[in-house]
Amino acid sequence: MKTILPLMVGAVIGLSGPAQARSLDAIRSAGVLGLCAHPNSLPFASKAGDPPGFQVELGQALAGQLGVSLRLDWIITQYQMRSADCDIVLDVIADREAQGETRLRISKPYYRTGVALAVPSSSTLTSFKSLNDHTKVGVQVGSVAAMIISQRNVPTSTFGFESDSLDALSNHEIDAAAVTPTAASYFNLTNPSRAVRILDRDESEADLNWNVAVGMVRPDDNLREAIDAALERLRADGTIDRTYKRYGVVLQTPK
């Protein structure tokens, strides 16, 4: 099973077609809130359901706050979001520019993440600044991290999935892996005998750090306000932190 980020990245997804808002009243009348999620992307979501993934668990909590049930719309790519007719996606980058072509409306952010370095426990690397022309770093193909690290003349190995990069790191094929703390934390949870050390993110690299929010496909103002209020309650009572912690992820406060 691959760890991927199909719904986190603000990529071009071409959400064309009518943009009729789905009102809070319509969702409550139908009794369901639709969540678009990838069917095979633990720790984010899994159609197999054991475990279901933190997106599914948080989606259920949000639906409960709205007084409705959760409907799961399984999609492989974001291009399928419109035809799936869902209302929300989770773990999207909380940046209007990044989401510009997705046309997603974003909630208030509920945690902060980005790209960190995962290294072997015995590594002397301490940060992105300690990388040099003798350290080989695993990066995702086409990622911003790949571009930034390559510009520093640091050798890289390209991988399609974060989990492949982490496997290569644990097999001593590379010196570090540029991955999200989420992917590295879940790798450690599920591979305790091969656990890696996760270095702190470098906040001086703005493009490698971002807040995360709920993406709403066609909300009216009432739905946006209801999602924001639900997130605030779920953060205050610890539900969001506990949900991600079950997958090994310790959330950072958004900035």
Side-chain angles (χ1 to χ4, degrees):
M1 185 173 294
K2 303 298 185 184
T3 300
I4 54 179
L5 299 175
L7 302 180
M8 281 190 67
V9 181
V12 177
I13 63 173
L15 286 176
S16 59
Q20 183 177 359
R22 175 108 65 186
S23 70
L24 177 62
D25 285 345
I27 288 172
R28 283 181 167 156
S29 177
V32 294
L33 175 72
L35 167 67
C36 272
H38 193 287
N40 185 25
S41 61
L42 282 175
F44 297 94
S46 170
K47 190 175 183 178
D50 185 24
F54 52 65
Q55 290 183 344
V56 175
E57 293 192 39
L58 181 55
Q60 290 169 336
L62 285 171
Q65 288 287 318
L66 301 185
V68 299
S69 60
L70 183 71
R71 184 192 69 233
L72 292 166
D73 295 307
W74 301 112
I75 62 174
I76 303 299
T77 72
Q78 293 187 11
Y79 287 99
Q80 298 171 296
M81 197 182 305
R82 180 68 64 178
S83 59
D85 203 31
C86 58
D87 301 299
I88 62 171
V89 292
L90 297 177
D91 297 282
V92 303
I93 297 176
D95 181 277
R96 294 188 185 282
E97 183 176 353
Q99 298 301 336
E101 295 187 59
T102 71
R103 302 184 186 178
L104 289 174
R105 308 290 292 275
I106 55 178
S107 72
K108 293 179 180 177
Y110 54 96
Y111 74 93
R112 188 163 182 79
T113 188
V115 177
L117 282 180
V119 299
S121 57
S122 59
S123 174
T124 58
L125 293 173
T126 57
S127 69
F128 275 95
K129 291 182 175 60
S130 61
L131 298 176
N132 56 46
D133 58 0
H134 298 295
T135 52
K136 180 173 285 188
V137 182
V139 295
Q140 275 197 287
V141 60
S143 65
V144 174
M147 180 185 67
I148 291 175
I149 292 171
S150 295
Q151 287 174 342
R152 297 178 179 179
N153 297 317
V154 175
T156 60
S157 289
T158 303
F159 297 89
F161 301 94
E162 290 187 299
S163 56
D164 289 341
S165 181
L166 290 162
D167 281 335
L169 178 67
S170 68
N171 292 332
H172 308 290
E173 298 169 14
I174 55 178
D175 300 302
V179 295
T180 59
T182 303
S185 298
Y186 188 66
F187 179 87
N188 285 349
L189 179 71
T190 53
N191 298 273
S193 65
R194 300 192 294 154
V196 299
R197 183 159 56 93
I198 307 170
L199 304 183
D200 291 338
R201 288 176 293 103
D202 182 358
E203 287 281 356
S204 68
E205 285 286 358
D207 290 336
L208 298 183
N209 297 276
W210 57 81
N211 290 331
V212 171
V214 177
M216 290 166 274
V217 180
R218 295 168 299 180
D220 68 348
D221 289 343
N222 289 338
L223 178 57
R224 293 180 64 191
E225 292 170 4
I227 291 291
D228 279 342
L231 283 172
E232 187 170 337
R233 290 191 293 271
L234 293 172
R235 285 188 65 192
D237 70 9
T239 296
I240 295 178
D241 282 348
R242 288 194 299 273
T243 298
Y244 283 78
K245 193 172 183 178
R246 282 194 285 275
Y247 296 86
V249 181
V250 177
L251 296 186
Q252 302 297 312
T253 303
K255 294 186 177 178

